[in-house]
Each structure stands twice: as structure tokens, then as C-alpha cells.
Amino acid sequence: MGYDMGKPVKKVRFRVFRYDPEKDDRPHYSEYTLEAWKGMSVLDALNEIKAEQDPTLSWRQSCRMGVCGSCAMVINGKPALACQTQVLKLDTDVITIEPLKSFPVIKDLTPDLQNLFRHHTHVKPYIIRRNEEELTEENPTEEFLQSPEELEAFLQFSYCIKCGACVSACPVSQSDPEFYGPQALAQAFRYISDTRDEGEEIRYAIVDNPQGCWRCHFAQSCTFVCPKGVDPAMAIQYLKRDLVLMSVGMKKEKKRAQKAPLGAPTDRVPEKYVPPEFTIAKPE
Ligand code: FES
């Protein structure tokens, strides 16, 4: 199988972390040299190595377009998506590829992400409504209305693709697997900020914990590495702020999304609609 996608630009050496816990006493690095072409991603390079040099190499991938989050790995010391990292833009002759930190290794570049999803599910990452009947209604007659400002309050946090890069970069998560971590805490804040959600008391009680938001030292490395422009460090500080305000009785009551009959015309969208400046990943 050929991966000749363009004119070779230069030779690049790849130092790839190898470890099979069932066979190896300790990790080691394998080296492979490739002709890098314009547009070649680190994921392309791994596929080329596997197809033409070493079929035993393992990692996880799916969408190849920065959506599924499965190809996150540490590239030259920084957690990133392999499919979104251009080999030539790294501007180096040697690229070191390692598995995400903070997680056990299943094999080579494949981390065991069970802890990520354990913490993620612990914060109840879904809309909670008090009225159970509303959730099970077969033919709903009403819908929620949210203003652009209400959407903006949580939108950037909803871009999380659960790749684990933020947890890999977090110095606290690296030393304490019981810390809920930036991914889960940002998702707690994402749902708390959503005016459709009524589960904020449940989630504040979950994150108000020595392993919750108070364990964050505000290193901000989570925010620096997020490939989708999410700012978990800010979300965690907002959680701390809310808890402090609640403890002194100064937290304002949460605004609730209005409901309207399904499909009813609404006057909430102004004639001249100016979308708010959402926080999104900036192009390089
Ligand atoms: Fe899906 Fe890279 S393969 S994000």
C-alpha cells in the first residue's frame, strides 16, 4: 500500500514509544525514517510506518479529521491530535511520539482511557430535568428557547471531543488519578451553565470535593493543549467562584430557559441577527 501523497520534502526520523505490558519489562523507543511530504500529518506518518515498515505498531484512530478525539498522543512533548498535526509544520528532523500521560498504556501509543470516562460520567454530563414525564413524553408539545447569549455561556465547553489531551497535560491528573480532571470538571460547568438544565445542585455537590475543583492548581496546561479551543481552566475557576458565592449566600439564582409551544413563531431572534463571538479553535 503506497502513501505517496506528494513530492517528498525532507527525511524525518520518528522516535516512537513502544510498550507491550504483556511482553516487555520496560518501555523502549523504535525509530523509523520517512520522506515527509507537504500535508503529511503525524497520523499519515504512523499509517505509512505500519503499512511499510512495522505492522506491530499500535495506536487508536477513527475519523482522521479532528472530530472523534481518538488519535490524541504526545507529539514532541505536547498532547495533540495526530491527524491534525502536520509533520512539516513541526519544523524538526526528529519527531518523538508517545502515548498520552496520566493513563496506563494498553500497547504502544494506545492509552487506557477508562479513568477519563469514569470521571466524565461521574459529573452527569447530560441535561437533568426535574420533571421526569417531560423526558419520557412520546409526543412533546413544547420546546426550549435559548438566546444567543444563553448559548454562548456553554457552547465552547460543548466542543469537547473527550480526547484526553487536557488530562494528559494536567500536572495534578498525572500524579493523582482520582482527581476528576479538567475534562470532567469542564463538562460539569458546561451543563451547569445551560439554562435548560436543572441539575446544578447535584453537580455542585459532586465537584465541591477534595478530588474535585479544589484540587486544581490552575496550571492552565489543559487550556493550552485543547485541540478544540475549550478552556477547562476557566471552567474550573468559575466552579470555585460559584461555590464560594454559594457559601456566603451571594450566588444569583440560575436563569431558566423559557419554553414555547413546538414550532411557534418567536420574537426572540432580532430582525438583524448578529451572532455573538463564540470561542472556537483558532486556525493556525
Ligand atoms: Fe479522529 Fe484524529 S482520528 S480526531
Side-chain angles (χ1 to χ4, degrees), residues 14-29:
F14 292 85
R15 286 183 69 241
V16 182
F17 178 98
R18 307 299 305 270
Y19 183 49
D20 183 344
E22 289 181 7
K23 290 193 202 143
D24 301 333
D25 292 339
R26 63 175 73 93
H28 62 281
Y29 288 80

Side-chain angles (χ1 to χ4, degrees), residues 4 12 26 31 61 83 111 121 129 143 163 176 212 262-263 271:
D4 186 16
V12 175
R26 63 175 73 93
E31 296 202 352
Q61 71 174 54
C83 67
T121 52
R129 298 290 297 174
E143 62 185 334
C163 63
D176 180 2
L262 205 56
E271 232 170 75

